[in-house]
Amino acid sequence: MALTTGTDVEMLCGTDQLASGLKAGIEGAVHAMSERYTQHSGNGWGLLLVDAKNAFNMVNRVAALWNARVLWPRCSRFLFNTYRGFARLVLRGSDECLFSKEGVTQGDPLSMLIYAVALLPLVKSLKAKENRLQTWYADDSACIGNIKEVRSWYDQLAEQGPAYGYFPEPKKSCLIVTPQFEDEARIFFGDLGVQIVNGHRFLGGVIGDCMTADNFVRKKVAMWVDCVEKLSKAATKSPQAAYTALSKSLQCEWSYLQRVMLNCGGAFVPLQDAILKAFYPALFEGDLSDAECKLFSLPTRFAGLGINNPTETASSLYHTSTQGTKVVVEAIKRCGEFSSACHLDAINCKKGGLVILRHNEIRDCIGDLASQVWPQVIKEPIVNEATATSSDPGLRLDLGIRGVWQPQVEALFDVRVIDTDAPSHCHRVPNAILESSSQEKKRMYKKAVEDRRGTFTSFVLSVDGLLHKEASHFIKHMATALSSKWDKAYSITSSYIRSRLAFARV
């Protein structure tokens, strides 16, 4: 049900409740709040971070099921059947039983989505005023604005929240303000016991003064250095497991921090030293040269290990994150309505982003393999020249390979990589999506290619590696030619080609 109807909650909540699974939503919230705090902190604004009491166990179950019936109808019957009875909790050594009558069950895959829907009416009611901004990620709520307005927002939350099972705890909450406005903050929040601070952690990043941010980053780096040293010890006995843990898990942790924290690359020098001086020597059982260490920082498709240099990636990751979350940021700042389609376009931007890089990698991979079989391979051959007297941009394909299908006849290829799981394709089967894309390519290029006495082949595949029948036929044809040239079995060459394409696709 989470896979089938989860997108309903994502579309329903938008940027109001980020627990719905919105892609890059948390990063957008950090960027939006950080930007707004930087702009107005000198004008008496504050950022209130609220913590709730035992949130998931205390959410009003009746209200949650009713909200799901109204707002999430496709899953409401399933939720009702799941939660209409009280789960019995048996206590060891006692005849008494406890019954779970509130909250959501721990371990339920739908728990985060249920919680998002349960609190959505509360979130929307608190969003009414224009002179303050709020973000919600499950029970972690935040509001930024004039200190007086932020107190008004908190009072409304404390008044309306219990009806939904949301009980804010002021003593565990904090208000971020600049030092000159601490006295004003204590006037409005002193009776609640809210902590008044100049900087604090927020959704994995930090908002506030530079000293708090620097200390936070350095503590995180020290923790990761310790983890790398432990993985170095494990690498002597289990190198593959240690490498996977570092490249697929630990590296993602510091990559997220770099995406939401500006100018933090310098603090990662100890981490890079730990990778170079401890992890690599343990992984390869010997010291490595500078050239080898630089090689290992390259992606696996370039014979590297895919372990990036954290001192060099900080600025690029932050820039990528700000560009990819700009739709979310603008929606949170109320500079425009949130559009899921526009947000996905920003994430999947085809100009200078991951989409065009993946396309070019696949094109270059095919060209490199084809050059080992056929004598002439041309990258981006021009079919029709652009003319200065008209608006015709001309036609240019991805590859030209002579002799593929017929001797001395040029075969022209155009590559397209499709996300078959995109919202615009949700009602079509993957093979039909690939076929329609192939036909679109043929309508665009086939006649012009045949006019110059060539043949046209569309090389269409999905981001998951599903090949269109023409692309699959070409792969088999090239594998046959390579197996004959290398004197290898067809299965070996075919597996090699598909492995190369898999790495290029990443």
Side-chain angles (χ1 to χ4, degrees), residues 83-98:
Y83 286 100
R84 65 179 177 177
F86 299 143
R88 178 179 296 180
L89 305 178
V90 180
L91 303 179
R92 180 181 296 178
S94 173
D95 296 333
E96 299 293 330
C97 292
L98 296 179

Side-chain angles (χ1 to χ4, degrees), residues 484-506:
S484 176
K485 181 176 180 179
W486 293 345
D487 194 22
K488 299 284 187 180
Y490 170 81
S491 60
I492 295 176
T493 56
S494 177
S495 176
Y496 173 74
I497 293 173
R498 293 178 185 275
S499 297
R500 286 281 303 270
L501 283 175
F503 278 117
R505 208 177 61 245
V506 176

Side-chain angles (χ1 to χ4, degrees), residues 55-374:
F56 279 80
N57 290 326
M58 299 190 68
V59 66
N60 189 322
R61 186 176 295 179
V62 174
L65 293 176
W66 175 254
N67 289 339
R69 178 66 184 88
V70 176
L71 303 173
W72 193 12
R74 283 211 298 164
C75 193
S76 60
R77 179 62 61 86
F78 180 86
L79 294 176
F80 177 76
N81 290 336
T82 302
Y83 286 100
R84 65 179 177 177
F86 299 143
R88 178 179 296 180
L89 305 178
V90 180
L91 303 179
R92 180 181 296 178
S94 173
D95 296 333
E96 299 293 330
C97 292
L98 296 179
F99 293 92
S100 175
K101 297 182 179 181
E102 294 289 358
V104 293
T105 304
Q106 292 187 10
D108 184 358
L110 292 168
S111 60
M112 190 67 83
L113 300 178
I114 299 170
Y115 195 84
V117 173
L119 294 189
L120 189 59
L122 171 65
V123 174
K124 289 185 177 294
S125 68
L126 294 171
K127 189 181 177 182
K129 289 197 174 182
E130 297 291 334
N131 52 352
R132 64 193 185 205
L133 299 180
Q134 65 172 6
T135 59
W136 286 75
Y137 177 68
D139 61 313
D140 293 330
S141 57
C143 178
I144 187 170
N146 181 275
I147 296 177
K148 182 178 180 180
E149 286 295 333
V150 172
R151 174 58 195 260
S152 174
W153 176 88
Y154 178 84
D155 291 339
Q156 293 179 24
L157 176 61
E159 179 184 354
Q160 301 176 22
Y164 298 89
Y166 188 90
F167 300 89
E169 289 193 298
K171 292 184 179 180
K172 293 184 179 180
S173 305
C174 65
L175 178 67
I176 305 174
V177 294
T178 53
Q180 62 265 36
F181 294 103
E182 288 183 6
D183 292 338
E184 182 181 354
R186 290 189 178 92
I187 293 174
F188 285 100
F189 287 91
D191 60 318
L192 298 176
V194 173
Q195 304 174 52
I196 309 299
V197 296
N198 301 134
H200 198 272
R201 176 178 175 176
F202 176 65
L203 296 179
V206 172
I207 294 180
D209 62 325
C210 296
M211 182 178 297
T212 303
D214 290 343
N215 291 335
F216 175 78
V217 173
R218 295 187 187 282
K219 288 180 180 179
K220 281 288 187 180
V221 170
M223 179 191 72
W224 290 322
V225 168
D226 182 60
C227 291
V228 170
E229 291 174 350
K230 291 179 180 178
L231 286 176
S232 301
K233 296 178 181 178
T236 58
K237 294 184 178 180
S238 304
Q240 184 62 39
Y243 164 70
T244 303
L246 179 63
S247 61
K248 301 300 183 183
S249 178
L250 196 60
Q251 182 173 230
C252 296
E253 292 186 21
W254 68 67
S255 295
Y256 174 80
L257 182 65
Q258 291 184 337
R259 290 200 298 270
V260 297
M261 297 286 292
L262 179 64
N263 298 328
C264 64
F268 284 82
V269 172
L271 179 59
Q272 177 65 5
D273 290 342
I275 294 173
L276 296 179
K277 299 177 181 178
F279 186 75
Y280 282 161
L283 192 66
F284 295 99
E285 297 183 344
D287 295 331
L288 303 177
S289 64
D290 293 340
E292 289 173 323
C293 292
K294 188 174 182 180
L295 172 66
F296 294 147
S297 67
L298 297 174
T300 53
R301 59 179 175 270
F302 294 140
L305 293 179
I307 301 176
N308 299 319
N309 183 342
T311 63
E312 298 177 353
T313 57
S315 59
S316 61
L317 287 174
Y318 183 83
H319 175 73
T320 301
S321 179
T322 54
Q323 293 300 308
T325 60
K326 56 186 178 182
V327 177
V328 174
V329 171
E330 293 301 311
I332 293 175
K333 293 165 57 179
R334 301 185 181 182
C335 298
E337 290 295 325
F338 175 74
S339 168
S340 178
C342 293
H343 176 50
L344 291 176
D345 287 343
I347 293 177
N348 300 319
C349 178
K350 294 180 174 56
K351 294 185 177 180
L354 295 176
V355 175
I356 190 64
L357 290 176
R358 181 194 293 132
H359 169 277
N360 292 345
E361 288 289 345
I362 293 174
R363 177 201 64 194
D364 295 343
C365 175
I366 297 170
D368 179 56
L369 292 169
S371 64
Q372 301 182 50
V373 181
W374 295 288

Side-chain angles (χ1 to χ4, degrees), residues 350-411:
K350 294 180 174 56
K351 294 185 177 180
L354 295 176
V355 175
I356 190 64
L357 290 176
R358 181 194 293 132
H359 169 277
N360 292 345
E361 288 289 345
I362 293 174
R363 177 201 64 194
D364 295 343
C365 175
I366 297 170
D368 179 56
L369 292 169
S371 64
Q372 301 182 50
V373 181
W374 295 288
Q376 187 181 65
V377 177
I378 302 173
K379 185 186 297 185
E380 295 187 351
I382 297 175
V383 178
N384 288 334
E385 292 280 0
T387 57
T389 57
S390 68
S391 59
D392 184 9
L395 286 178
R396 176 180 297 179
L397 282 82
D398 287 321
L399 287 172
I401 308 173
R402 185 172 296 277
V404 174
W405 308 118
Q406 302 175 36
Q408 297 305 314
V409 176
E410 187 177 31

